[in-house]
Amino acid sequence: MNKLTTLGQFLIERQKDFPYSKGELSRLLSAIRLAAKIVNREVNKAGLVDILGAIGSENIQGEEQQKLDVYADNQFMKSMELRGEVCGVASEEQDSFVVFDNDRSNNASYVIMIDPLDGSSNIDVNVTVGTIFSIYKRKTPVGKAVTLDDFLQPGTEQVAAGYVVYGSSTMIVFSTGKGVNGFTLDPSIGTFHLSHPDLKIPDNGKIYSINEGNYAHFEDGIKKYLKFCQEIDVPTNRPYTSRYIGSLVADFHRNLLKGGIYLYPGTTIKPDGKLRLLYECNPIAFLAEQAGGKATTGTQRILDIIPKELHQRVPFIVGNTTMVEKVEEFILANS
Ligand code: AHM
Ligand code: MG
């Protein structure tokens, strides 16, 4: 494959690598690709909302303007339903999962979980946001409507996961369990091109990303790790650099390319942290592992957690292996 390979070509050429290959997963990924392009268009004109009509008002065609996260949610839902490649979707934006209870969708093999617009509080200030997705093979027999059990699977069962990052350029980064590949959108022709083949997270990272405003509420292991990051030790590249955007996709994407660690640990007020296991942690953990990195709660591998509920939160630490293992050491020594 060369640098001009488009996402469409890539999916066709790699189809034989996909589990249970019948072309279904390729078609599902191409439905995501289409939704991503549509959401990208809206994200890029978010700043025009004041000019073109505020949220809640009607636009020129008499359609009500939607908040972008609701718009993104609707867009992904619609693409999934119309293409008929999934039997159900669970979204961070919705209380319960959605079953596409019709003949075609009930015969589909996959369920998908999405965070349609992660970091959406960053939209108003023109900062990068993302979409995260995670795909599983259904557990219940094909032909019937899906149930909650189809969604409550551990992350190890993911057949594919990825994200779209709407940044200074728009990219799709995903894995089907055979490494991680990144595709950059050429907006002039509306095509994603393979720009980052077989991504591996550099293991000599020196970036740490955490909301240090929560410092007073962190457990001792995390507090001591942060001090470790700030100490001077030239042979180990310390002090490390602190970078925190507050958009998981953007923070993870940077750390994936450069090496680094992202932490959203539990606090005394929120022992399970903030991030959602099914929509945020599992897909990002899957990508991290596929890129040679690691993801943990601090004491347990993220992908091994058996989910109990759709919107479950877990402490989340992800990045290059050496850095993640160092935090685990601090947590163990201070527990
Ligand atoms: P969201 O799904 O409501 O957008 O929240 C998730 C976001 C992540 O993208 C980000 O890393 C984190 O929340 C930031 O939280 P905080 O502002 O507490 O640091
Ligand atoms: Mg989110």
Side-chain angles (χ1 to χ4, degrees):
M1 282 210 204
N2 63 44
K3 290 240 165 168
L4 287 175
T5 303
T6 64
L7 177 51
Q9 284 171 299
F10 181 90
L11 292 174
I12 293 166
E13 285 171 33
R14 291 287 177 94
Q15 192 178 303
K16 61 180 180 333
D17 293 349
F18 297 155
Y20 329 107
S21 169
K22 282 188 299 178
E24 221 178 330
L25 186 58
S26 308
R27 289 195 296 273
L28 171 50
L29 288 165
S30 85
I32 292 171
R33 173 186 59 177
L34 177 63
K37 283 192 224 175
I38 297 170
V39 171
N40 177 59
R41 185 189 63 200
E42 295 304 306
V43 167
N44 278 316
K45 63 180 195 203
L48 290 171
V49 161
D50 284 345
I51 303 166
L52 301 179
I55 286 149
S57 68
E58 286 191 352
N59 67 14
I60 205 154
Q61 290 91 23
E63 298 157 333
E64 196 173 315
Q65 299 282 318
Q66 290 174 329
K67 280 185 71 180
L68 262 180
D69 41 11
V70 177
Y71 180 89
D73 190 46
N74 290 340
Q75 201 56 54
F76 276 93
M77 284 287 169
K78 218 166 32 182
S79 308
M80 295 306 133
E81 186 168 19
L82 290 178
R83 294 272 184 116
E85 306 297 348
V86 293
C87 30
V89 181
S91 162
E92 202 200 81
E93 288 288 327
Q94 305 198 22
D95 291 341
S96 189
F97 59 94
V98 175
V99 182
F100 300 142
D101 194 3
N102 58 60
D103 282 350
R104 178 147 187 228
S105 298
N106 283 340
N107 279 309
S109 310
Y110 298 103
V111 294
I112 182 164
M113 276 169 258
I114 50 171
D115 182 351
L117 209 61
D118 183 66
S120 50
S121 61
N122 275 325
I123 286 272
D124 292 349
V125 288
N126 219 340
V127 169
T128 299
V129 290
T131 296
I132 312 175
F133 60 91
S134 166
I135 300 169
Y136 292 79
K137 194 152 199 284
R138 65 185 297 168
K139 285 278 169 211
T140 50
V142 171
K144 297 221 161 67
V146 279
T147 69
L148 182 60
D149 287 343
D150 292 303
F151 296 92
L152 297 185
Q153 300 187 48
T156 46
E157 297 297 308
Q158 289 172 102
V159 293
Y163 58 78
V164 186
V165 55
Y166 309 99
S168 46
S169 56
T170 295
M171 284 187 71
I172 291 187
V173 176
F174 74 95
S175 173
T176 52
K178 292 203 166 2
V180 180
N181 289 285
F183 298 81
T184 304
L185 181 65
D186 178 343
S188 63
I189 52 172
T191 316
F192 284 97
H193 292 267
L194 180 60
S195 50
H196 296 69
D198 199 20
L199 278 167
K200 292 287 173 223
I201 183 164
D203 202 35
N204 55 352
K206 48 182 186 200
I207 297 173
Y208 70 103
S209 313
I210 186 167
N211 185 344
E212 278 188 90
N214 294 328
Y215 186 87
H217 302 294
F218 291 146
E219 59 180 291
D220 283 350
I222 298 290
K223 285 182 177 165
K224 288 187 180 159
Y225 176 70
L226 294 178
K227 287 291 156 226
F228 166 86
C229 293
Q230 294 158 3
E231 275 161 18
I232 299 172
D233 184 55
V234 177
T236 57
N237 279 323
R238 284 179 293 143
Y240 295 149
T241 295
S242 168
R243 289 281 182 275
Y244 190 71
I245 297 169
S247 265
L248 171 63
V249 170
D251 279 308
F252 175 74
H253 183 68
R254 181 202 51 243
N255 293 354
L256 172 65
L257 297 185
K258 295 188 178 259
I261 188 165
Y262 172 96
L263 307 97
Y264 210 113
T267 63
T268 44
I269 315 169
K270 294 181 181 163
D272 295 326
K274 174 181 185 189
L275 300 180
R276 318 274 184 151
L277 174 62
L278 296 181
Y279 313 106
E280 291 161 330
C281 306
N282 269 338
I284 298 293
F286 184 76
L287 292 168
E289 288 198 6
Q290 285 292 320
K294 211 171 166 180
T296 172
T297 60
T299 52
Q300 186 185 8
R301 181 183 177 215
I302 293 289
L303 297 182
D304 284 337
I305 300 172
I306 312 285
K308 294 195 190 67
E309 54 182 24
L310 279 180
H311 293 283
Q312 185 171 344
R313 296 174 201 268
V314 290
F316 190 47
I317 300 169
V318 63
N320 63 266
T321 300
T322 303
M323 289 180 99
V324 172
E325 287 180 348
K326 191 52 137 184
V327 186
E328 287 177 320
E329 269 173 42
F330 273 94
I331 290 175
L332 188 64
N334 289 279
S335 55

